Amino acid sequence: MRNISLLVFIILLALCIAHAAYYYPLLPDRVASHFGVSGQPDAWASKESFVKIYFIVIAIIVVMFPAIGLILRRSLPT
């Protein structure tokens, strides 16, 4: 089961990278990066900054999920 989970995790990571690579050239130079309560954009970023933040979030998730698994394995009684 652990191997299947790792495989799914790696596939999803690869899909995130492919997603960014595919859409990067299609993004406008200025991208809405935050939306107010009304649903209207109220902050903007360059597409480079937007994609960098996307990759930072993906990197955090890539580190966080295995860390949570490790913490749970070590803290729960066997």
Side-chain angles (χ1 to χ4, degrees), residues 1 3 6 10-11 15-17 19 21-22 25 36 38 40 44 47-49 53-56 58 64 67 69 73-74:
M1 184 66 169
N3 290 337
L6 181 61
I10 291 170
I11 290 170
L15 286 173
C16 286
I17 293 168
H19 176 255
Y22 177 79
S38 66
Q40 297 299 316
W44 301 86
K47 73 178 182 178
E48 293 83 11
S49 295
I53 291 170
Y54 177 79
F55 280 127
I56 289 169
I58 296 301
M64 186 179 66
R73 271 195 305 275
R74 290 180 183 220

Side-chain angles (χ1 to χ4, degrees), residues 4-14 58 61-66:
I4 292 172
S5 297
L6 181 61
L7 179 63
V8 169
F9 190 72
I10 291 170
I11 290 170
L12 289 173
L13 177 60
I58 296 301
I61 291 170
V62 164
V63 170
M64 186 179 66
F65 274 81

Side-chain angles (χ1 to χ4, degrees), residues 16-48:
C16 286
I17 293 168
H19 176 255
Y22 177 79
Y23 281 105
Y24 181 79
L26 302 175
L27 289 172
D29 289 333
R30 198 174 99 154
V31 181
S33 60
H34 188 269
F35 296 85
V37 177
S38 66
Q40 297 299 316
D42 59 8
W44 301 86
S46 67
K47 73 178 182 178
E48 293 83 11

